[in-house]
Amino acid sequence: MAIKLTKMRKHYQFAFIILTTIGLLASCSQQEKKYRIGVSQCSDDIWRDKQNSELQIGAYFHDNVELRFAAAYDSDERQIQQIDSLVGTGIDLLIVAPNQVSTISPAIDRAYDKGIPVIVFERKTNTKKYTAYMGADNYEMGHLMGEYVATRLNERGRIIEVMGLKGSSPAIERHNGFREAIAQHPGIQVVATLQGDWTEPTAYKTVKQWLDKNKDAGKIDLVFGMNDRTAMGARKAFEEAGGVLPLFCGIDGLPGESGGIRLVQDSLLDASYIYPTHGDQLLQLAVDILEGKPYEKETKLMSALVTQDNARVLLMESEEIMRQSRNLEQLHEKASQYLDQLGNQRTLIFVALAAILLLLALLAGIYMYYLQRARIQDERMQMEREQLDFYTQVSHELRTPLSLVQGPLDQLLRTNDFRGASDEARELFSIVRRNTHHLTGIVNKMLDAQVGTPIQEMTSAQVDAITVSQPIAAPAEVPEQDEDAPTVLIVDDNADIRTYLRSILRGQYRVLEAEDGKRGLELARELVPDLIVSDVMMPVMNGLEFCQQVKKDGISSHIPVILLTARALEKHQIEGYESGADAYITKPFSPELLLARIDNLLQSRHQLKDLWSMKSATNATAPSETAPAPIEDAFISRFKSLVEERLSDSKLSVEDLAGDMGLSRVQLYRKVKAMTGSTPIDLLRKARLAQAQRLLQESTLSVSEIAYQVGFASPSYFTKCYKDEFGTVPGEARKS
Ligand code: FRU
């Protein structure tokens, strides 16, 4: 459980790392820090509009700039409040055109003191607490206008000056410049200086009031309004008053329909002065300050007079600039649309990437989990295998000596020597015998408990039935067997087991011995025993491999193999049968069971022998229900056709036949005998007699001729053999 939790935690950590990486990637790909620039405008009019839109266009060239605009509508309180609140929103720089010099200065100082860079633009403050100043020279502008007026009026005339907002720096400076220039021209008389506030309605009102009051003031030649709107307000008042209109001059010289340039062009104003807005330049200054680049502390913007002479050209130029500005706007709009799309696509790509990575992480997690599980399972299985091997080994170690105690003891109890033993001795032997069986039971149970696999019931039950319950009886002495007895090959690396097995088999069989599978295979091929009893766990070549080889070889394939082993598990038995074994007996074993099994297997071979007796030798195509294995079939067919080919050769010997089949005499003899029950010589004779019988029935040849033809050296010997085989003399067959 703890391992599982740790693993889960690891997976979560992995997912977290991936997500963080994606987040970082996403944020890295975002633009660098955004600069928030606050713009505090004192008024809201076409001059401010133009400047604001230039600022905005300037910002388009810096995609990390955000502008926040505020307009105070010529109100000091409102501008103070707006500056404070812009600072409160966390702006990085303040651009300010202060409504009046002294009233707005404290708010600007507060922003500056907070460490916010301040650009004062176009109007001035009365402290030094600003980072940079940008604007035209208003004094010079007023002065140039004074000079123009004097020239325009040919040094003689009466004029009115209408001021801008009281206390605002351009109004003060323009006035000073204007009046100083006029003072140089004594023919020019300033009839009145009226107070305006930069707006047209106020100018109209002020001039109207003055006109009403001074009806007999005489002719006025020119009115100088400190901006174009002021000049137009004055004009309106004069128009209403009637009479000859004076000339009107203003300042601002804006482009556009109601701008000063067109007013001059249309002769509504006599002259104007271009008061530069330069919003883009202002924005660049702000960015330079924010980015820590070098910048000018004071920037003076250049300006020009607009008169009847140049108004047309200036108007055309300014309209062209405005057209290009509009194009730029549209371009920007398009670009930002594309950028939006790009942004969306990028977000989509990041999301998809994140999903893919998460999926991969998930798959990797699952894969690792299953890998781990498989490894644990493998390890467990390996452990179980090792345990099982260990117990099998132990049990094998115990079973073999147990066989060697239990078997010989049983055998001893049956001998004549034991008959004369005292009751006490018999009782003591019984105790030993009982406990040997008990020990066998314990070994079986031990293996049972370890693997949970039942040891094959039949074997242990049979062992018990035969060995435990059998009364102690004494069989007769067993003599060594003669040449004709069936041969059993014992293959076991334990010499004691071999000796013990020999002692069991000696009474009925001829016994051959081999100490491992390799040697066993040599003997099986060379001497073709009737049956093999083999151990499984042996050096050089184990019993399973040995059994397979025996069954594969044409000469030995027919030999029944009994595997006699301590490997009592069902899976071991299955392995044994898969290697081709005919029987599987576990140690410790009962000698009776072994003998019964051997006898049984040899009996079933005898049934085969019947099948392959003369009938099949003479009638090879007769259908048989228990069809022989193909390899046996091939061997017997080969043998039969050889015999048939050489039937008439009276000198044909078993050596000849064996030689033709590529075998030794012994091999041929034993293989044929084992498979058919007859010797090759017998089969040869039977084949000759069968052929003779056919010839007697089907030909007109004499008995003697037939005898020679089927390979008998003398007709009399043929007649004897024929009678022995068929019970009648050859002449009888001829008669029928
Ligand atoms: C715009 C304006 C201009 C004038 C300037 C003086 O708000 O009134 O018309 O020239 O400000 O600061």
Side-chain angles (χ1 to χ4, degrees):
M1 188 67 188
I3 294 173
K4 241 185 187 174
L5 278 174
T6 326
K7 254 188 265 156
M8 297 252 287
R9 214 171 293 140
K10 269 190 190 159
H11 291 157
Y12 282 129
Q13 275 170 5
F14 187 46
F16 175 75
I17 290 168
I18 284 180
L19 285 176
T20 319
T21 314
I22 293 164
L24 277 174
L25 274 174
S27 61
C28 284
S29 67
Q30 298 278 310
Q31 53 207 216
E32 64 273 33
K33 184 185 175 344
K34 223 178 167 73
Y35 294 129
R36 288 153 301 185
I37 298 176
V39 181
S40 169
Q41 295 283 18
C42 52
S43 316
D44 182 45
D45 48 60
I46 54 169
W47 192 91
R48 303 284 156 192
D49 288 350
K50 179 169 182 273
Q51 189 184 48
N52 286 351
S53 79
E54 285 166 357
L55 278 165
Q56 191 59 69
I57 287 172
Y60 293 159
F61 294 93
H62 305 274
D63 45 357
N64 59 339
V65 167
E66 179 197 318
L67 292 173
R68 295 177 184 174
F69 292 101
Y73 297 94
D74 309 303
S75 152
D76 290 338
E77 291 107 78
R78 194 174 291 146
Q79 189 166 30
I80 289 166
Q81 193 198 333
Q82 284 175 345
I83 289 172
D84 287 341
S85 95
L86 277 173
V87 169
T89 61
I91 51 168
D92 300 297
L93 185 140
L94 175 70
I95 294 174
V96 60
N99 196 38
Q100 291 189 60
V101 178
S102 53
T103 44
I104 307 301
S105 290
I108 296 172
D109 291 355
R110 276 199 293 280
Y112 186 81
D113 289 341
K114 279 195 172 156
I116 297 170
V118 176
I119 300 176
V120 177
F121 184 76
E122 179 261 319
R123 297 188 192 181
K124 291 182 178 164
T125 69
N126 60 5
T127 71
K128 287 273 164 215
K129 291 193 174 179
Y130 61 88
T131 314
Y133 172 81
M134 184 181 268
D137 186 340
N138 281 290
Y139 173 86
E140 189 182 82
M141 215 176 286
H143 200 277
L144 284 169
M145 192 48 90
E147 289 295 332
Y148 171 78
V149 166
T151 312
R152 183 75 172 93
L153 297 179
N154 291 323
E155 302 295 334
R156 184 163 298 279
R158 302 175 76 231
I159 63 170
I160 292 176
E161 181 190 12
V162 187
M163 301 272 288
L165 178 71
K166 197 173 179 192
S168 71
S169 66
I172 299 163
E173 289 167 358
R174 286 176 195 178
H175 172 74
N176 292 342
F178 183 72
R179 293 306 286 269
E180 270 175 39
I182 292 295
Q184 304 301 314
H185 305 278
I188 305 293
Q189 183 195 347
V190 181
V191 178
T193 298
L194 306 177
Q195 186 61 54
D197 63 0
W198 302 116
T199 67
E200 188 179 326
T202 305
Y204 162 75
K205 215 167 97 192
T206 316
V207 174
K208 188 175 165 41
Q209 275 170 7
W210 186 85
L211 283 174
D212 288 347
K213 265 194 215 157
N214 302 281
K215 283 207 169 74
D216 48 359
K219 183 179 173 246
I220 300 296
D221 299 301
L222 189 142
V223 177
F224 168 49
M226 277 198 182
N227 64 0
D228 294 340
R229 286 175 291 143
T230 301
M232 287 303 285
R235 185 184 168 98
K236 200 174 157 194
F238 270 94
E239 279 172 350
E240 277 180 20
V244 183
L245 281 178
L247 296 173
F248 295 92
C249 290
I251 288 181
D252 277 352
L254 287 167
E257 268 315 297
S258 51
I261 302 175
R262 178 161 288 282
L263 296 175
V264 176
Q265 158 90 359
D266 294 347
S267 301
L268 295 170
L269 293 181
D270 181 64
S272 181
Y273 211 99
I274 295 176
Y275 190 47
T277 44
H278 288 212
D280 49 342
Q281 203 178 335
L282 181 58
L283 197 275
Q284 186 57 55
L285 174 65
V287 171
D288 286 347
I289 292 170
L290 285 167
E291 288 179 346
K293 290 184 182 160
Y295 63 92
E296 293 287 335
K297 177 135 176 125
E298 311 279 339
T299 307
K300 185 176 158 187
L301 298 176
M302 300 313 288
S303 189
L305 193 69
V306 184
T307 63
Q308 303 288 328
D309 300 333
N310 64 3
R312 220 176 85 83
V313 180
L314 287 174
L315 197 67
M316 272 165 58
E317 266 179 9
S318 63
E319 272 171 5
E320 178 58 20
I321 290 170
M322 280 170 70
R323 199 181 60 79
Q324 284 182 4
S325 292
R326 279 195 300 276
N327 284 348
L328 207 67
E329 285 275 358
Q330 281 175 4
L331 220 70
H332 175 262
E333 218 158 276
K334 281 240 153 67
S336 48
Q337 270 173 17
Y338 288 133
L339 281 174
D340 280 355
Q341 274 177 14
L342 205 73
N344 290 344
Q345 280 167 3
R346 200 169 54 180
T347 313
L348 214 73
I349 286 169
F350 275 122
V351 168
L353 206 72
I356 289 169
L357 282 175
L358 265 180
L359 204 75
L360 283 177
L362 202 74
L363 287 177
I366 292 171
Y367 175 70
M368 270 149 70
Y369 171 72
Y370 279 104
L371 216 65
Q372 178 86 350
R373 214 171 69 162
R375 205 173 44 235
I376 290 170
Q377 223 157 10
D378 275 0
E379 278 169 14
R380 204 170 41 219
M381 275 164 69
Q382 174 69 17
M383 239 162 70
E384 279 174 11
R385 257 200 308 276
E386 279 168 10
Q387 248 173 12
L388 187 62
D389 284 352
F390 172 74
Y391 274 88
T392 311
Q393 190 69 31
V394 169
S395 118
H396 183 262
E397 295 293 330
L398 287 172
R399 278 159 186 271
T400 305
L402 265 174
S403 300
L404 289 170
V405 174
Q406 193 178 301
L409 187 67
D410 284 347
Q411 215 166 313
L412 185 69
L413 293 175
R414 286 194 289 265
T415 59
N416 285 336
D417 299 346
F418 189 68
R419 285 211 185 106
S422 66
D423 284 353
E424 192 189 351
R426 291 174 79 91
E427 185 52 38
L428 288 174
F429 271 117
S430 286
I431 292 171
V432 175
R433 190 167 179 263
R434 262 201 312 280
N435 281 286
T436 314
H437 286 294
H438 187 53
L439 204 56
T440 306
I442 292 172
V443 170
N444 285 345
K445 269 191 197 143
M446 209 168 85
L447 208 59
D448 255 357
Q450 178 55 29
V451 296
T453 315
I455 294 169
Q456 212 216 21
E457 289 300 325
M458 191 272 287
T459 313
S460 35
Q462 268 184 348
V463 167
D464 282 353
I466 296 167
T467 58
V468 180
S469 60
Q470 213 176 48
I472 298 170
E477 280 290 308
V478 274
E480 198 71 48
Q481 274 307 314
D482 61 23
E483 284 278 301
D484 290 338
T487 313
V488 175
L489 169 63
I490 299 167
V491 188
D492 201 309
D493 58 324
N494 186 321
D496 285 348
I497 289 278
R498 289 204 304 273
T499 309
Y500 173 50
L501 282 173
R502 176 185 279 280
S503 77
I504 294 169
L505 301 176
R506 199 169 49 190
Q508 297 170 47
Y509 305 103
R510 287 175 62 221
V511 178
L512 300 169
E513 286 180 37
E515 64 281 2
D516 60 56
K518 189 163 171 269
R519 177 72 190 131
L521 201 60
E522 283 165 14
L523 287 182
R525 283 183 51 83
E526 196 182 316
L527 302 172
V528 197
D530 292 286
L531 187 136
I532 297 170
V533 176
S534 173
D535 189 12
V536 172
M537 284 147 83
M538 287 184 293
V540 188
M541 182 189 282
N542 70 36
L544 299 175
E545 163 90 41
F546 164 66
C547 185
Q548 270 170 13
Q549 297 291 342
V550 166
K551 295 294 178 180
K552 223 160 70 182
D553 195 302
I555 297 169
S556 57
S557 59
H558 68 283
I559 306 171
V561 177
I562 298 175
L563 289 178
L564 183 64
T565 167
R567 288 157 50 99
L569 298 178
E570 198 174 274
K571 70 166 191 163
H572 292 143
Q573 296 198 28
I574 292 169
E575 265 173 33
Y577 284 116
E578 277 172 358
S579 74
D582 298 80
Y584 196 96
I585 296 177
T586 53
K587 288 175 187 171
F589 62 94
S590 134
E592 283 80 1
L593 176 71
L594 177 66
L595 285 169
R597 203 76 189 88
I598 293 174
D599 188 49
N600 183 260
L601 283 169
L602 288 176
Q603 284 305 323
S604 40
R605 287 287 137 167
H606 277 288
Q607 285 158 12
L608 253 185
K609 283 178 192 174
D610 288 344
L611 194 73
W612 292 103
S613 70
M614 197 55 213
K615 253 189 279 161
S616 55
T618 51
N619 186 10
T621 51
S624 158
E625 276 193 16
T626 49
I631 192 147
E632 291 170 351
D633 205 347
F635 177 85
I636 291 299
S637 319
R638 174 107 200 280
F639 177 72
K640 273 192 296 185
S641 56
L642 260 178
V643 168
E644 274 158 22
E645 258 173 44
R646 304 186 64 180
L647 212 56
S648 56
D649 181 355
S650 62
K651 292 197 181 68
L652 179 67
S653 66
V654 178
E655 277 83 358
D656 294 338
L657 283 173
D660 286 353
M661 292 198 69
L663 301 173
S664 74
R665 197 187 68 83
V666 174
Q667 283 174 318
L668 181 71
Y669 177 87
R670 297 210 48 86
K671 176 92 187 177
V672 169
K673 185 85 197 305
M675 295 189 68
T676 65
S678 305
T679 64
I681 287 286
D682 278 349
L683 285 177
L684 183 58
R685 197 184 61 246
K686 283 182 185 194
R688 282 176 167 149
L689 291 170
Q691 173 70 354
Q693 192 181 43
R694 243 190 332 270
L695 288 172
L696 284 168
Q697 286 164 355
E698 292 166 10
S699 76
T700 53
L701 294 169
S702 71
V703 171
S704 301
E705 281 168 337
I706 290 172
Y708 291 124
Q709 194 166 331
V710 298
F712 278 87
S714 89
S716 59
Y717 181 59
F718 165 66
T719 306
K720 180 190 174 300
C721 292
Y722 190 91
K723 191 157 181 246
D724 287 351
E725 180 69 21
F726 300 116
T728 53
V729 291
E732 288 291 312
R734 184 44 57 90
K735 277 178 214 154
S736 60

